[in-house]
Amino acid sequence: MIPVTEFRQFSEQQPAFRVLKPWWDVFTDYLSVAMLMIGVFGCTLQVMQDRIICLPKRVQPAQNQSSASNVSQAVISTTPLPPPKPSPANPATVEMKGLKTDLDLQQYSFINQMCYERALHWYAKYFPYLVLIHTLVFMLCSNFWFKFPGSSSKIEHFISILGKCFDSPWTTRALSEVSGEDSEEKDNRKNNMSRSNTIQPGPEGSMVNSQSLKSIPEKFVVDKTTAGALDKKEGEQAKALFEKVKKFRLHVEEGDILYAMYVRQTVLKVIKFLIIIAYNSSLVSKVQFTVDCNVDIQDMTGYKNFSCNHTMAHLFSKLSFCYLCFVSIYGLTCLYTLYWLFYRSLREYSFEYVRQETGIDDIPDVKNDFAFMLHMIDQYDPLYSKRFAVFLSEVSENKLKQLNLNNEWTPDKLRQKLQTNAHNRLELPLIMLSGLPDTVFEITELQSLKLEIIKNVMIPATIAQLDNLQELSLHQCSVKIHSAALSFLKENLKVLSVKFDDMRELPPWMYGLRNLEELYLVGSLSHDISKNVTLESLRDLKSLKILSIKSNVSKIPQAVVDVSSHLQRMCIHNDGTKLVMLNNLKKMTNLTELELVHCDLERIPHAVFSLLSLQELDLKGNNLRSIEEIMSFQHLRKLTVLKLWYNSIAYIPEHIKKLTSLERLFFSHNKVEVLPSHLFLCNKIRYLDLSYNDIRFIPPEIGVLQSLQYFSITCNKVESLPDELYFCKKLKTLKIGKNSLSVLSPKIGNLLFLSYLDIKGNHFEVLPPELGDCRALKRAGLVVEDALFETLPSDVREQMKAE
């Protein structure tokens, strides 16, 4: 006999696939096994037992004694006659005798085979084989979507991810934490909840309502101690699972091949069920115990008519009725499956009940094959989809990222990254992280926090622990803030720097920082910025003193003018966009520093001359060609720094002598050819940069600048230096490189405070030994060719090399 286990491969592929088998598939599988046993049992009987037994019929002549209506053909049965009864005289048993046919065993075998083939109905002959074939087809149809190449790969991938999601420790933690945090909100939504529900402490100090977790088995509800045991390895595994689920969802939601395959195989089973019922019902009566056989083999056996006995007819008849019952139940189950497939929208799946029970409100609904598999999973156990939904939630993913961040960035590791910034504050720079570690707020000595290229930053209330925090830098970060954290920043934050690519990255809460003193904005704004509502609220920054905008503005925002009463420094760094309509500058009467860089200015704005408190003016990188208006600077009695570098200025007007308070003058990278002697009447100048021009001659009046400490004429066409230059005895930095000088005067030894000298790129042949008198000049501060340095006396060289 063939064991049924041999056919298991037709009905099962992997044990894990059972989660995609709803109750009706399981039920029909058992029905298939029962029908398979009927078929196998029938086939075994066919092989092991005689299928038919035949005996010849003998025909007698008609009897004339009776009337015509009573004439009949007497058929002498070949069955054995009943034995004669024993007489009282002879009590011994009489030998039983039957009707002799004169046929041998081989002739009987021949007759049995001929009658089996010619007389027996085909249904009676092949019934067990039909049952076996139909059952195998049913089994194949039921499991075809598990084996079809286009669908089996998706199923295997889904089952693999599903099992990992179900067993992941993060699933348990996410369900317990989120449920705990949202318990109060659930209480408000469910007013009919019993007051007898116990309240127990939850994570983060919140109160967890035990009734809100009623759908989660007790073994999955853990306290904070258990949830906190999630180690770094488990966190990384959960992070990888999130990525797998995202990619799998994108792949599976593109089509509905799984749904189509399942519908088709179910329809095929229903059609096959109808066919089986139709022909079996009409043919089951053909299975008869007695069969008349008429075959023309008289010349071989002496007989033509036979009476045959189908030995398994009675059993086959019972089996056929049993089989029809099983098939009917199987078919009705398939019809219910079709009803379920078409009545419900199986290509869409909503996690609404999961969102309500777990409190994870951002779980998205899914569609197509992804939705269909989740519907099938729900028929097995809805807990699978609930735990799987955790890995579809962005909130859950962010919490996991936060946990991994906290594991990776410990307080000790963060303290190693502390450094002092340009404002002399203790700063912690964090670049390209997946979020903001909570451990940052344990570094209480932190004064400045710099975040770069970090998406979805959430500043929690724990920032209030940073009592010394005064500066915050956000570079290409999208930031949300807790209300308690905002209250803290309003009181403590002094400096805010925001660098953005998109206007939406500008934090709306920055306009309420009433104690903010410095604001730096770097990013692309619209040309008509005055109409942009995002800057209209700057008027609320009552303490703002410094405002820097590095963007593409075309005019000064009205919002900036609104804070002009207390604004002391304003910087506008454009990307070459022309800045027009500068009359609003007149309202900034308290402005002490003004930078208008790369604003495509062709003239010095007249509004600048009204800023009587101005101390520093920077017009770098514009398109200035003439500065005749410089005479108006004489009214700016406090102006000490003037930066006109990186322009196209061809000459310096004599009116510059009116700027008697000027201390630092930047004139590099222009086209100046002649230096007016009146320039050196500004005798307070300490810093003079004339590098990268076309100057050929330095007037001797330069000796008037007794306060000069920095002088640069690098990359000009100067051929000689006046001796009066060496009267500037306070000179510390002298840059005369890349000129046409051929002799360096020995009077350079008069510059006792000289610590930096650049003479590289000239035509010197030797260096004066008087350089040794410049005691502050060391080899690191002397920029010269090595060969030329060797022309100095050895003692001078040794002196310069000494520390």
Side-chain angles (χ1 to χ4, degrees):
M1 181 177 288
I2 303 175
V4 178
T5 54
E6 295 295 328
F7 299 95
R8 180 177 298 175
Q9 59 175 321
F10 295 104
S11 60
E12 294 185 10
Q13 180 161 339
Q14 292 184 13
F17 284 6
R18 68 181 182 274
V19 297
L20 287 177
K21 279 185 165 294
W23 68 265
W24 51 81
D25 279 351
V26 176
F27 182 60
T28 53
D29 282 348
Y30 282 113
L31 290 176
S32 297
V33 172
M35 292 187 289
L36 185 66
M37 293 177 65
I38 292 175
V40 172
F41 180 60
C43 291
T44 305
L45 291 178
Q46 289 275 67
V47 173
M48 298 182 64
Q49 296 185 10
D50 292 334
R51 292 173 289 186
I52 194 171
I53 300 174
C54 299
L55 292 175
K57 292 182 179 180
R58 179 171 297 174
V59 181
Q60 293 183 346
Q63 297 179 1
N64 297 326
Q65 291 84 0
S66 61
S67 59
S69 59
N70 295 327
V71 175
S72 60
Q73 185 179 28
V75 179
I76 300 175
S77 176
T78 58
T79 56
L81 297 174
K85 296 182 180 180
S87 62
N90 185 16
T93 303
V94 181
E95 181 181 359
M96 300 177 62
K97 295 182 179 180
L99 189 61
K100 293 185 178 181
T101 59
D102 298 327
L103 295 175
D104 57 20
L105 182 59
Q106 291 183 348
Q107 288 175 318
Y108 273 118
S109 296
F110 178 75
I111 294 170
N112 290 342
Q113 290 294 330
M114 290 297 294
C115 289
Y116 181 80
E117 296 295 333
R118 302 284 182 88
L120 194 62
H121 194 275
W122 65 268
Y123 183 77
K125 290 189 293 186
Y126 302 118
F127 164 73
Y129 303 106
L130 292 174
V131 172
L132 187 61
I133 292 172
H134 291 322
T135 305
L136 291 178
V137 172
F138 277 138
M139 288 182 171
L140 290 174
C141 289
S142 296
N143 297 279
F144 185 71
W145 72 314
F146 290 139
K147 297 177 177 290
F148 184 69
S151 58
S152 61
S153 59
K154 290 183 178 180
I155 295 175
E156 290 176 4
H157 197 183
F158 176 72
I159 295 298
S160 174
I161 294 177
L162 182 69
K164 293 177 182 178
C165 292
F166 191 89
D167 296 331
S168 173
W170 173 248
T171 310
T172 302
R173 172 162 183 162
L175 287 174
S176 60
E177 282 194 352
V178 178
S179 297
E181 291 173 359
D182 292 348
S183 60
E184 294 182 2
E185 182 179 350
K186 291 182 186 179
D187 289 340
N188 296 330
R189 291 200 304 259
K190 301 181 180 180
N191 295 323
N192 59 344
M193 186 171 292
S194 172
R195 293 181 177 271
S196 62
N197 295 331
T198 58
I199 305 296
Q200 54 188 358
E204 307 288 344
S206 62
M207 302 305 292
V208 181
N209 192 314
S210 60
Q211 181 66 17
S212 64
L213 300 179
K214 62 182 180 180
S215 60
I216 304 177
E218 184 178 355
K219 64 179 179 179
F220 295 125
V221 182
V222 297
D223 59 14
K224 185 176 180 180
T225 304
T226 304
L230 192 69
D231 58 23
K232 182 177 181 180
K233 181 179 179 181
E234 291 171 338
E236 291 298 327
Q237 291 174 348
K239 181 180 178 181
L241 267 180
F242 272 104
E243 294 300 321
K244 287 183 179 180
V245 170
K246 284 182 180 179
K247 294 179 180 179
F248 178 74
R249 180 187 173 192
L250 290 175
H251 173 63
V252 175
E253 281 192 319
E254 294 176 354
D256 59 352
I257 185 173
L258 295 179
Y259 176 79
M261 290 297 300
Y262 193 81
V263 170
R264 290 170 185 171
Q265 72 182 31
T266 305
V267 171
L268 182 59
K269 288 193 291 184
V270 170
I271 294 174
K272 190 163 186 63
F273 149 70
L274 295 175
I275 294 174
I276 293 173
I277 291 295
Y279 85 82
N280 274 269
S281 299
S282 60
L283 296 179
V284 96
S285 60
K286 301 297 182 180
V287 181
Q288 298 176 352
F289 184 76
T290 303
V291 180
D292 291 331
C293 176
N294 299 316
V295 290
D296 190 11
I297 55 174
Q298 190 171 359
D299 54 344
M300 300 177 63
T301 62
Y303 296 94
K304 183 177 182 182
N305 301 318
F306 303 90
S307 180
C308 301
N309 177 21
H310 186 196
T311 58
M312 291 172 289
H314 181 74
L315 181 58
F316 279 6
S317 178
K318 302 301 181 184
L319 290 178
S320 63
F321 282 110
C322 184
Y323 173 68
L324 285 176
C325 291
F326 283 138
V327 171
S328 299
I329 298 174
Y330 191 102
L332 292 175
T333 307
C334 292
L335 289 174
Y336 171 80
T337 305
L338 280 183
Y339 168 78
W340 182 78
L341 287 171
F342 293 117
Y343 176 74
R344 299 185 60 179
S345 180
L346 300 181
R347 282 183 284 190
E348 295 179 359
Y349 188 90
S350 174
F351 285 99
E352 183 62 29
Y353 79 99
V354 180
R355 292 192 286 263
Q356 291 178 356
E357 293 185 2
T358 65
I360 308 177
D361 296 328
D362 70 325
I363 301 174
D365 295 337
V366 295
K367 58 183 180 179
N368 289 337
D369 280 345
F370 202 176
F372 178 66
M373 285 190 288
L374 289 172
H375 280 293
M376 299 292 281
I377 287 291
D378 281 349
Q379 299 299 318
Y380 182 80
D381 189 348
L383 185 60
Y384 276 92
S385 59
K386 179 186 296 184
R387 295 177 70 83
F388 187 80
V390 170
F391 289 88
L392 295 172
S393 167
E394 187 176 350
V395 170
S396 175
E397 183 177 11
N398 291 338
K399 283 183 174 290
L400 175 65
K401 290 179 180 178
Q402 193 67 42
L403 180 64
N404 289 339
L405 273 175
N406 297 340
N407 289 335
E408 180 181 359
W409 295 95
T410 61
D412 292 338
K413 184 176 180 180
L414 290 174
R415 283 189 172 90
Q416 295 176 2
K417 293 179 65 65
L418 290 175
Q419 59 188 30
T420 303
N421 64 7
H423 297 90
N424 199 29
R425 292 189 177 99
L426 193 61
E427 182 176 82
L428 175 62
L430 298 176
I431 304 175
M432 297 184 68
L433 300 183
S434 58
L436 182 61
D438 293 332
T439 48
V440 169
F441 309 112
E442 299 179 19
I443 308 177
T444 55
E445 66 271 24
L446 189 63
Q447 296 176 311
S448 175
L449 179 60
K450 183 177 182 181
L451 309 177
E452 281 192 59
I453 318 178
I454 302 177
K455 300 300 181 182
N456 302 319
V457 176
M458 178 62 187
I459 300 179
T462 50
I463 195 175
Q465 300 174 7
L466 305 180
D467 296 330
N468 299 314
L469 185 67
Q470 296 182 353
E471 183 175 347
L472 179 62
S473 299
L474 306 173
H475 293 186
Q476 299 178 1
C477 299
S478 55
V479 180
K480 296 180 181 179
I481 189 169
H482 193 275
S483 57
L486 180 58
S487 300
F488 170 80
L489 293 180
K490 284 181 179 180
E491 298 296 330
N492 295 270
L493 198 63
K494 303 297 182 183
V495 181
L496 176 63
S497 176
V498 182
K499 184 177 181 180
F500 55 92
D501 291 330
D502 193 319
M503 290 285 293
R504 290 171 293 184
E505 294 178 2
L506 278 175
W509 45 265
M510 74 178 185
Y511 309 114
L513 303 175
R514 54 178 175 268
N515 289 329
L516 191 68
E517 297 179 358
E518 301 179 24
L519 177 60
Y520 301 87
L521 301 177
V522 181
S524 178
L525 299 170
S526 62
H527 290 287
D528 196 7
I529 192 173
S530 63
K531 295 182 180 179
N532 197 314
V533 296
T534 56
L535 291 180
E536 286 183 0
S537 299
L538 286 181
R539 61 175 63 93
D540 296 330
L541 306 182
K542 301 300 184 181
S543 301
L544 192 64
K545 297 179 180 179
I546 298 177
L547 174 62
S548 175
I549 301 176
K550 188 173 183 181
S551 184
N552 57 346
V553 298
S554 59
K555 59 183 179 181
I556 297 177
Q558 181 62 37
V560 176
V561 180
D562 293 337
V563 296
S564 59
S565 60
H566 44 81
L567 201 62
Q568 297 180 5
R569 178 183 177 186
M570 186 180 73
C571 308
I572 297 181
H573 290 226
N574 265 4
D575 58 358
T577 303
K578 191 175 184 63
L579 187 65
V580 296
M581 299 177 63
L582 296 172
N583 291 332
N584 287 334
L585 286 175
K586 297 179 180 180
K587 301 179 181 179
M588 303 181 186
T589 54
N590 292 320
L591 207 62
T592 59
E593 296 182 26
L594 175 62
E595 295 181 16
L596 301 176
V597 179
H598 295 295
C599 295
D600 196 26
L601 300 175
E602 297 179 357
R603 311 284 292 187
I604 298 177
H606 289 279
V608 174
F609 306 133
S610 302
L611 305 177
L612 299 181
S613 300
L614 195 65
Q615 298 178 12
E616 180 176 336
L617 176 63
D618 187 353
L619 299 176
K620 177 183 178 181
N622 285 283
N623 195 23
L624 300 177
R625 299 180 184 275
S626 173
I627 54 172
E628 290 294 339
E629 305 90 344
I630 203 171
M631 183 176 61
S632 299
F633 281 135
Q634 63 181 322
H635 303 296
L636 308 181
R637 301 296 184 182
K638 299 181 180 180
L639 186 66
T640 58
V641 180
L642 180 60
K643 299 180 179 181
L644 299 173
W645 47 351
Y646 292 89
N647 281 280
S648 301
I649 302 172
Y651 71 99
I652 302 175
E654 295 182 358
H655 306 300
I656 197 170
K657 65 183 179 181
K658 301 289 186 180
L659 308 182
T660 56
S661 61
L662 202 62
E663 296 181 3
R664 304 178 70 189
L665 179 61
F666 294 75
F667 243 107
S668 65
H669 295 84
N670 278 283
K671 299 180 180 180
V672 177
E673 297 181 357
V674 179
L675 281 181
S677 58
H678 298 82
L679 169 64
F680 304 109
L681 295 179
C682 303
N683 53 14
K684 292 185 179 180
I685 290 181
R686 296 183 291 107
Y687 186 105
L688 181 59
D689 186 358
L690 299 170
S691 58
Y692 293 91
N693 280 279
D694 296 323
I695 300 172
R696 296 178 179 271
F697 176 72
I698 304 296
E701 288 80 1
I702 192 174
V704 178
L705 303 180
Q706 290 299 302
S707 299
L708 191 64
Q709 299 179 15
Y710 179 101
F711 181 60
S712 174
I713 55 170
T714 302
C715 202
N716 278 276
K717 300 177 181 179
V718 179
E719 297 180 355
S720 63
L721 295 176
D723 290 341
E724 290 78 1
L725 173 65
Y726 306 110
F727 296 162
C728 305
K729 295 184 179 181
K730 294 183 179 180
L731 202 62
K732 296 181 180 179
T733 300
L734 178 60
K735 297 182 179 181
I736 56 177
K738 298 181 181 179
N739 279 280
S740 301
L741 299 172
S742 57
V743 177
L744 185 61
S745 173
K747 294 182 179 181
I748 196 171
N750 296 335
L751 305 179
L752 301 180
F753 297 101
L754 191 67
S755 60
Y756 187 91
L757 176 62
D758 180 5
I759 56 177
K760 190 175 184 178
N762 285 282
H763 306 306
F764 297 125
E765 295 182 357
V766 294
L767 294 179
E770 286 77 6
L771 277 176
D773 297 334
C774 302
R775 298 295 181 179
L777 184 64
K778 301 300 179 181
R779 180 65 183 95
L782 178 60
V783 181
V784 66
E785 293 86 350
D786 292 339
L788 193 58
F789 179 74
E790 295 297 327
T791 62
L792 287 171
S794 59
D795 59 332
V796 175
R797 295 199 305 269
E798 292 297 328
Q799 172 189 318
M800 289 187 176
K801 291 179 180 180
E803 293 295 335

